[in-house]
Amino acid sequence: LDNDAEHPFGEPGESAPPENDFFAALVGVWSCRLRFGARYAFPSTWAFKYSAGGFAIEHLYYQHEADLVPPFASIGRDFHSLAITLYDPVEQAWKFVGVSNLAGADIAPASQAMTGQVEDDVLILEPDAQQDELYSRDTFHDIEADDFVWTQYESRDQGVTWAEAVSIVCKRKI
């Protein structure tokens, strides 16, 4: 976080695109529960702050090894994911670049670039390179002052139909 006591999560850039305000609503620290299958469990923490001179939002997702969902439990360590999300006015699109400590786990890529749009108050991000047999899309939705939901969807028919794979419900801590 920033060393500025008045703005510990940074500030928006003076001439940052106004579209960034949508994602900036997440700036702060969140206590989350991941839904995998039929149950909400698997606690985690998600922190968001201004980055890149206030033109982007940097976010760190953390989940303790003992709280990982079954497919991730095999990594044998805490899960860390770091991403930068911003609105690119030249491309008129949202951009996401993320990395995690999944390298060597053969579960999911250790890095990912996604592009998206906001539609009906939902930020929809799709990987710049989809796998042929399994498409995915991430959404940030139901964003309120004290809660939001992130959901990942999967498609086995190249994006014709989508099914929820996993969802994270978050409540603001700070």
Side-chain angles (χ1 to χ4, degrees):
L1 302 177
D2 283 353
N3 290 326
D4 180 347
E6 287 186 45
H7 305 99
F9 300 102
E11 296 182 272
E14 204 170 292
S15 57
E19 291 86 352
N20 276 354
D21 292 346
F22 178 84
F23 204 70
L26 301 179
V27 168
V29 179
W30 302 79
S31 176
C32 305
R33 292 251 173 223
L34 191 141
R35 180 177 68 206
F36 184 74
R39 59 187 190 124
Y40 278 99
F42 315 107
S44 58
T45 300
W46 211 334
F48 297 77
K49 73 178 205 97
Y50 289 100
S51 188
F55 280 71
I57 306 298
E58 179 179 336
H59 39 116
L60 172 66
Y61 180 83
Y62 170 80
Q63 197 165 25
H64 188 271
E65 177 183 357
D67 298 320
L68 293 174
V69 295
F72 280 24
S74 65
I75 69 171
R77 58 184 173 265
D78 295 351
F79 175 66
H80 298 264
S81 173
L82 175 68
I84 300 283
T85 303
L86 60 81
Y87 182 79
D88 184 333
V90 172
E91 293 194 30
Q92 296 184 0
W94 285 87
K95 296 294 188 172
F96 169 103
V97 177
V99 296
S100 72
N101 66 335
L102 287 178
D106 200 29
I107 297 169
S111 64
Q112 189 171 44
M114 295 191 282
T115 301
Q117 296 293 330
V118 172
E119 299 173 13
D120 298 321
D121 291 327
V122 176
L123 175 55
I124 302 168
L125 296 161
E126 294 190 5
D128 293 348
Q130 292 278 19
Q131 301 173 15
D132 288 335
E133 67 280 353
L134 182 66
Y135 280 27
S136 67
R137 93 174 12 155
D138 293 0
T139 63
F140 288 87
H141 55 96
D142 297 320
I143 298 172
E144 302 290 338
D146 291 321
D147 54 347
F148 78 92
V149 179
W150 172 91
T151 304
Q152 184 175 69
Y153 296 91
E154 294 178 342
S155 173
R156 298 194 180 276
D157 56 14
Q158 298 182 325
V160 175
T161 60
W162 295 91
E164 181 180 313
V166 65
S167 188
I168 301 173
V169 175
C170 299
K171 302 285 183 197
R172 186 178 294 278
K173 289 171 67 172
I174 301 172

